[in-house]
Structures are given as C-alpha cells and as structure tokens.
Amino acid sequence: MNYFFSFILSIVLTSLSYFLGGQLIRNDIALWQSLVIGASVVTFGALTEYLGAPIWLIVLIPFPVGMLLLYLFLNKPLHIWFLTYITVLALYSVIHVVMSYFFQFHSLIPAWKLS
C-alpha cells in the first residue's frame, strides 16, 4: 500500500471515529468538522513521523490536536466533550483493531501492531 493511500485512509478512518462518536453521544458534529479533525490529527502524526520523532511521540502528538478541535467544534460543556472524546477513542481503538488484525493496516496507531 503506497503512502498517499495509507495517509488518506487514515484520515477517513480517524474522521469516521470522530463523526460516529459525536453521533452516538447525540452531539451533532458535522461531517466536514470530522474531516477537519481527522486530517489535522493524521497530518500532525505524519509530520512528527517525518521529523524522525520516537514512536511514542508520534502516537502522543496528535491527541491534543484532536482534543482541542473537538472541544472547539462541539461548543459544549467540558463533561460532554470528555464523554464524546472517550467514545471517539473507543471507536478509534475498535477501528484500529479491525484494520490491524484483518488488513495489516497499522497507520492508525503505528506502535500497536496486532498482526
């Protein structure tokens, strides 16, 4: 799988986790907002990797970006944001497990290879 396809697929899957997380908690996050968060999170992770950072930093750096953008787009109280973010992380982890185990696609969480 070439890098560009992996990059786009990572954005789509990350965006999907944000969109579905918002829908499950009944916080309507628009699809374009989910795409902005997904693209930002994946791009920051890719840039961190490009700069030669250690794997723990590659995994860690995107979190504050996604957290801040979700908070700004939700425009809800902190406890609602937190519940939504925890839901997003759970969905993101499930998506990662499926993609890593069945398709050997590890770009969502590079340090956590399941196959």
Side-chain angles (χ1 to χ4, degrees):
M1 184 176 313
N2 71 25
Y3 187 82
F4 181 73
F5 180 73
S6 294
F7 182 75
I8 296 300
L9 184 58
S10 293
I11 289 173
V12 168
L13 295 173
T14 302
S15 299
L16 182 65
S17 67
Y18 278 91
F19 183 73
L20 292 176
Q23 296 301 312
L24 284 173
I25 304 299
R26 302 249 189 251
N27 293 326
D28 293 327
I29 299 174
L31 187 57
W32 72 269
Q33 292 171 326
S34 297
L35 286 170
V36 167
I37 296 172
S40 299
V41 165
V42 172
T43 301
F44 270 90
L47 286 172
T48 306
E49 180 181 23
Y50 178 77
L51 294 173
I55 195 68
W56 65 268
L57 194 56
I58 295 169
V59 173
L60 182 67
I61 287 290
F63 280 98
V65 174
M67 294 168 87
L68 177 64
L69 288 173
L70 181 64
Y71 182 75
L72 293 173
F73 285 143
L74 273 181
N75 198 23
K76 303 269 179 157
L78 198 58
H79 69 283
I80 301 293
W81 163 82
F82 184 71
L83 180 61
T84 305
Y85 192 72
I86 293 300
T87 304
V88 166
L89 287 180
L91 288 168
Y92 186 86
S93 296
V94 168
I95 290 170
H96 168 72
V97 167
V98 169
M99 293 302 292
S100 184
Y101 186 78
F102 291 109
F103 302 104
Q104 285 71 52
F105 182 75
H106 308 292
S107 290
L108 294 171
I109 306 173
W112 184 25
K113 295 183 175 165
L114 301 179
S115 62

